Amino acid sequence: MRLSAILIGSLLLLGSCNQSKKRLIGVVPKATSHVFWVAVEKGAKAAAKEFQVDIEWNGAPSETEYARQIQIVDSMINRKVDGLAVAATERRALVASVDRAMKQGIPVTIFDSGIEGENYTSYVATNNYEGGQLGARAMAKLIGGKGEVGIILHAPGSASTMDRERGFTDVIEKEFPEIKIVATQYGMADRSKARAGAENILTDHPNLSGLFGSSEPSTTGASLAVKARGLAGKVKVVAFDASDNLVEDMKAGAIQAMVVQDPLQMGYQTVKTLVDKLDGKTPPKRIDLSAKVIFADEINKPENQRLLSPELK
């Protein structure tokens, strides 16, 4: 009887421990070094705290380390996390890993940047095509609807930035016949390479009216190039994404407009979709978050400050 009582007590204790164990959600960003991803992480952790789950945040330092991102995702699948969120650095590279997770019953939410196909639980992202359109119309306003412009592209295969670039190009071609896109250069998610690309465009096209950067490093490179040549304010720069250095460049007159996202909300909604799925609910297949254009003279408005400088401290 005494032994039986001990065994029953042990089983009850084990069951209690299992019930109290928090569910683990793995979150894999494109990279960890940019301020945008720091803000996404903060939003994800806010949701984790609210819904009482644990978050494992792990990503490669750079957005071009495709193989490393696959390793991180596969490791989380092998450890059988309860849910998985991934911002794909390349739209095809992670398809097999996501398919494997879904087959094993691990719900997957894709965030920020998509993959090919629709074998996932939810997709949470800024409407990047619309954001690119907003950037094009901002550029047209700044240069008076005519002139030559260049684009500093992000990196091949990045679905989110490709959508931005396509949105920008489509609007310029369809709505502004007197604006010509004369050159494009890849920055490869690297500020130095983006600057070199912008320098090449400025050299080849001395009458250039504007530069559009489809990501934070692309715009940083463009801004560095126009400042180095004494063209700040003369060549209009439209940014996509915010960071402290870009906000300072906007204040100084090197950047005239910025298309901004809401990374805090992106991180929060990403985790929430997985919690809902694990709780037996059906989260939306797609959640589109709107982007917003902020011009230099609007920088100090309180509603814009939240988007330009998320509280990261």
Side-chain angles (χ1 to χ4, degrees):
M1 288 291 292
R2 190 175 180 182
L3 181 59
S4 297
I6 293 172
L7 287 172
I8 291 170
S10 298
L11 289 171
L12 288 172
L13 180 62
L14 181 61
S16 175
C17 289
N18 287 338
Q19 288 174 6
S20 65
K21 183 181 178 183
K22 285 186 178 181
R23 292 174 294 193
L24 177 63
I25 294 176
V27 185
V28 185
K30 278 185 175 182
T32 56
S33 56
H34 293 150
V35 67
F36 176 84
W37 300 113
V38 178
V40 173
E41 182 183 10
K42 182 177 180 181
K45 286 183 174 178
K49 182 178 181 181
E50 179 177 338
F51 300 116
Q52 298 185 337
V53 297
D54 284 331
I55 290 291
E56 180 173 331
W57 177 271
N58 192 6
S62 166
E63 292 189 19
T64 55
E65 295 182 56
Y66 307 141
R68 178 59 184 146
Q69 188 180 51
I70 293 170
Q71 289 175 352
I72 293 169
V73 170
D74 285 345
S75 174
M76 289 185 175
I77 296 170
N78 292 339
R79 288 164 47 211
K80 301 188 186 305
V81 294
D82 295 292
L84 181 62
V86 182
T89 56
E90 207 284 331
R91 67 187 189 278
R92 291 182 294 267
L94 283 167
V95 171
S97 295
V98 171
D99 284 347
R100 185 162 69 90
M102 293 289 286
K103 187 175 182 180
Q104 292 183 17
I106 300 172
V108 180
T109 288
I110 305 299
F111 68 100
D112 180 69
S113 193
I115 62 171
E116 288 195 350
E118 294 190 358
N119 186 25
Y120 49 77
T121 302
S122 290
Y123 177 44
V124 180
T126 300
N127 188 327
N128 286 290
Y129 181 79
E130 178 186 67
Q133 291 178 306
L134 293 174
R137 294 182 184 116
M139 178 67 77
K141 179 179 179 180
L142 291 166
I143 66 175
K146 59 183 178 180
E148 298 181 346
V149 300
I151 306 175
I152 307 301
L153 309 167
H154 184 64
S158 170
S160 59
T161 51
M162 290 170 66
D163 284 346
R164 299 169 195 173
E165 294 149 8
R166 186 167 54 88
F168 183 91
T169 300
D170 286 352
V171 163
I172 293 296
E173 292 178 349
K174 294 174 183 177
E175 298 181 15
F176 302 101
E178 293 187 68
I179 299 178
K180 184 178 180 183
I181 298 173
V182 294
T184 60
Q185 292 270 342
Y186 278 110
M188 298 305 296
D190 182 279
R191 295 176 176 184
S192 296
K193 291 178 182 178
R195 177 178 178 173
E199 294 273 10
N200 291 338
I201 293 175
L202 291 167
T203 298
D204 294 342
H205 302 278
N207 297 319
L208 197 76
S209 298
L211 281 168
F212 173 63
S214 66
S215 66
E216 187 275 337
S218 293
T219 306
T220 297
S223 179
L224 288 169
V226 297
K227 288 189 293 184
R229 295 192 171 218
L231 296 172
K234 296 178 182 178
V235 174
K236 308 300 183 185
V237 176
V238 175
F240 203 115
D241 279 340
S243 65
D244 288 345
N245 67 288
L246 294 183
V247 171
E248 290 304 312
D249 280 351
M250 181 180 273
K251 291 177 179 178
I255 294 172
Q256 285 67 47
M258 194 175 292
V259 183
V260 295
Q261 306 183 75
D262 192 340
L264 294 169
Q265 187 64 211
M266 184 181 295
Y268 179 91
Q269 291 294 338
T270 294
V271 172
K272 185 178 185 300
T273 60
L274 290 168
V275 172
D276 284 348
K277 182 65 176 178
L278 292 170
D279 285 344
K281 302 174 185 176
T282 303
K285 186 70 175 180
R286 182 181 181 108
I287 297 176
D288 282 324
L289 304 173
S290 295
K292 180 181 182 179
V293 173
I294 299 174
F295 289 94
D297 60 358
E298 303 170 329
I299 197 169
N300 291 320
K301 291 183 177 180
E303 64 270 25
N304 293 336
Q305 282 293 306
R306 186 185 73 83
L307 296 171
L308 290 170
S309 301
E311 296 177 7
L312 304 178
K313 297 179 182 178

